[in-house]
Amino acid sequence: MTDPLAFIHALTWEDLPPQVQRQTRLCLLDLLGVAAGGLGTRLSGIVHDHAAEDWPGDTPMLFDARSASLPGAALAAAMTIDSLDGHDGYNPAKGHIGCPLIPPLLLIGHARGISGKAFLTALAMGYEFGARAATAQHATCPDYHTSGSWGAVTAAAGAARLMGLSPDQTRHALGIAEYHGPRSQMMRCIDHPTMVKDGSGWGAMAGVSAAQLAARGFTGAPAITVEAAPEFWADLGHDWRIAEQYFKPWPVCRWAQGPVEAVLALRARHQLRPEDVTALRIDTFHEATRLASARPDTTEEAQYSTSFPCAVALARGDITPADIDGAALHDPEILRLSAATSMFEDAEANALFPGKRLARVTLTLTDGREVTSDWTEPRWSADTPPRPQDLHAKYRALATPVLGEPRSAAIFDAVETLADTPLRALTGHLLGVSV
C-alpha cells in the first residue's frame, strides 16, 4: 500500500503488527501525560482562555470545563502539549508528529462516538503519514520549519479519515492544510524562545479547519509534499515509522537531552556535588549550541536552553516541570552553573544531525581536575527505547500531581483497554472536566 490518499482511509487495526499496536497506545499515554503536565504553564492558561472566549463553540476542551469551536479546542489542546517540551518525536522529521495530531483525533472521535479501535487506527495512520510528510517537506523546502507546518497536513489527514471525507475531499483538505499551515521558522524560536514554540497548535487548528472547509466544497489540492514527492511514500504500510519515535525523559528540548545525559553520567560516576564544579564545556551540534538562554526568565527560555537544564541536572539530579519554571529560574546555584557553561560546535556531531544528536561534556572541578564524558546520545531513542514501565512511570509523574490519583489512574486504565472499548471510555475522563 503506497498511495497516501488511499492509506488514510484504508488502514485497519488488523493491518498493524502487534508491536505497532502497543507503540500506538504508548504514544497516546505519553502525550496525555505531557498534556496534563502542561496545564500549569502560563501558555496553557492563556490559550484556553483565548479558545473559550474568542473561538466560541460546543466542542469540549481538554481538561477544561469550558467549550470552544472544534478548531479552537484543537488549538488549545495542541498548544498545551507543546507548552511542556516532553513529547515524543521523530529524528528525520526534526519535530513531533503526535502533538498536532492527537487533539483533532480525540475531539472529532469523541463527537462522532467512534470506537477506541477506530481512534487508535487513525492515530497509527497519522504517525505513518506525518513521518513521511515531514521528511518530504524538509527535502523539498529545506528551511527548518516547525512541526506545525507539516503537522497541519497530518492533522488534516486524521480529520479527513474520522470525518468520512471522500477521496477527492481528502485531497483538497491536504492541499488546503499545506497551503494554510504555519511555515514558521524553528530556529527563530530557538534564538528567541517564546510561547509560539513549535507551531503545533496552529498546525492542529489549520488541519482541522482544512478538513472542515473541504467537507463544504472548498478546494485546495494538490499538497506538494504528498503528490510531488513519491519517493518518500513508497514504503507506506510496510515500514512502520511509529516504531522509530523517540521519547523524552525530561521536559526540555531534545537537543539538550544528550548533554543532560552526559552530565548525569559524570555526576554519578564521580559522585559529584554541584559545588564541586566550576565550569562545564559542551561539545555538540550547531542547533544545540543555539539553545543559549543561560539565565532564563520564563519556562519557554528554560526549555529551549542547553546550559540551564544541564545545570539543573547537576544540581538536582533530575529535571521535572517544577525545575524549569517558578522559583527554580532564580536558584543561585543553578544560575551559577548555567553561566559557567560554554558550548562548542563539533564537526562530526554536525554531520550526524538530525539522525543522531551527539554531545560530550567536560566538567572542571574545584581541585583543578577535568572529567570528560563519552560521546552521548539522548536516552529513549528508537535504538534504545524505553520500557513500557518507564513510560508508565513518566505518565504518572506528570499526570498525578495535576489530575489527582483517581483521575490519572482512570485515564491510564482507559488507554490500556481502549482497543476493546468506545473512545468515550477515555475521553469521558479528558474532556469537559476542569482541573
Side-chain angles (χ1 to χ4, degrees):
M1 185 187 301
T2 58
D3 178 359
L5 287 173
F7 181 81
I8 290 170
H9 295 285
L11 184 70
T12 70
W13 184 246
E14 290 69 29
D15 292 329
L16 304 175
Q19 68 271 24
V20 172
Q21 295 178 355
R22 289 192 297 270
Q23 182 85 339
T24 303
R25 286 191 293 268
L26 286 172
C27 288
L28 171 62
L29 182 72
D30 188 65
L31 284 178
L32 292 177
V34 174
L39 289 171
T41 63
R42 186 164 178 260
L43 187 166
S44 179
I46 291 173
V47 75
H48 274 89
D49 289 346
H50 169 60
E53 297 168 13
D54 302 324
W55 297 67
D58 57 5
T59 298
M61 290 198 291
L62 185 67
F63 299 131
D64 195 300
R66 298 168 293 178
S67 61
S69 67
L70 175 58
L75 170 74
M79 290 189 79
T80 295
I81 295 171
D82 208 15
S83 73
L84 189 66
D85 205 346
H87 40 315
D88 64 7
Y90 179 55
N91 278 351
K94 298 189 285 188
H96 313 281
I97 301 169
C99 184
L101 172 66
I102 279 181
L105 298 185
L106 284 172
L107 298 171
I108 296 169
H110 175 83
R112 292 175 177 260
I114 68 171
S115 69
K117 183 181 290 187
F119 168 82
L120 289 169
T121 307
L123 181 57
M125 181 281 298
Y127 269 89
E128 299 306 313
F129 189 96
R132 291 161 176 85
T135 51
Q137 181 182 299
H138 286 311
T140 56
C141 184
D143 192 12
Y144 192 163
H145 292 106
T146 64
S147 299
S149 55
W150 48 264
V153 186
T154 304
R161 178 183 172 110
L162 294 190
M163 291 170 62
L165 268 57
S166 70
D168 187 59
Q169 290 172 324
T170 299
R171 182 169 181 257
H172 285 289
L174 301 182
I176 298 164
E178 185 180 81
Y179 195 85
H180 287 162
R183 289 295 181 102
S184 37
Q185 301 85 19
M186 186 71 242
M187 298 311 296
R188 193 167 153 201
C189 186
I190 294 300
D191 292 337
H192 305 283
T194 65
M195 293 182 185
V196 296
K197 299 293 289 277
D198 199 30
S200 295
W202 222 254
M205 179 272 291
V208 166
S209 298
Q212 291 178 315
L213 286 167
R216 289 174 168 83
F218 197 93
T219 57
I224 296 171
T225 52
V226 180
E227 299 192 26
E231 64 273 22
F232 295 97
W233 302 89
D235 60 358
L236 191 61
H238 303 287
D239 183 10
W240 300 101
R241 304 292 175 82
I242 193 172
E244 299 175 23
Q245 303 302 301
Y246 64 73
F247 296 90
K248 292 182 181 178
W250 307 293
V252 297
C253 182
R254 185 67 170 176
W255 303 346
Q257 303 227 352
V260 167
E261 196 79 55
V263 165
L264 289 174
L266 290 173
R267 185 182 190 270
R269 185 184 310 154
H270 300 281
Q271 298 184 331
L272 297 174
R273 302 166 299 172
E275 58 266 29
D276 296 328
V277 178
T278 61
L280 299 83
R281 173 186 172 121
I282 300 172
D283 294 281
T284 187
F285 54 96
H286 169 78
E287 285 77 4
T289 68
R290 299 267 289 271
L291 297 168
S293 298
R295 299 181 66 88
D297 292 320
T298 66
T299 187
E300 287 77 31
E301 292 179 354
Q303 292 176 47
Y304 282 164
S305 171
T306 295
S307 62
F308 190 82
C310 286
V312 170
L314 187 55
R316 300 187 175 183
D318 195 9
I319 305 172
T320 71
D323 295 319
I324 52 170
D325 201 1
L329 302 182
H330 309 288
D331 184 296
E333 187 67 349
I334 293 173
L335 290 174
R336 177 186 72 81
L337 292 166
S338 183
T341 301
S342 302
M343 292 184 287
F344 299 88
E345 281 188 50
D346 179 86
E348 180 182 0
N350 280 342
L352 293 173
F353 179 80
K356 293 181 179 292
R357 286 98 190 272
L358 291 175
R360 181 177 61 194
V361 172
T362 299
L363 303 180
T364 302
L365 307 183
T366 53
D367 61 10
R369 289 182 299 136
E370 289 187 343
V371 293
T372 301
S373 73
D374 298 327
W375 281 105
T376 304
E377 289 190 78
R379 194 189 312 176
W380 295 357
S381 68
D383 296 331
T384 58
R387 301 168 300 170
Q389 55 264 43
D390 295 326
L391 292 180
H392 295 170
K394 175 188 170 184
Y395 164 79
R396 292 188 178 96
L398 291 173
T400 301
V402 178
L403 304 179
E405 174 61 30
R407 190 183 301 171
S408 63
I411 292 169
F412 180 93
D413 292 341
V415 170
E416 287 291 289
T417 59
L418 192 56
D420 301 309
T421 65
L423 176 60
R424 287 178 179 171
L426 170 63
T427 53
H429 301 294
L430 302 178
L431 303 177
V433 181
S434 62
V435 297

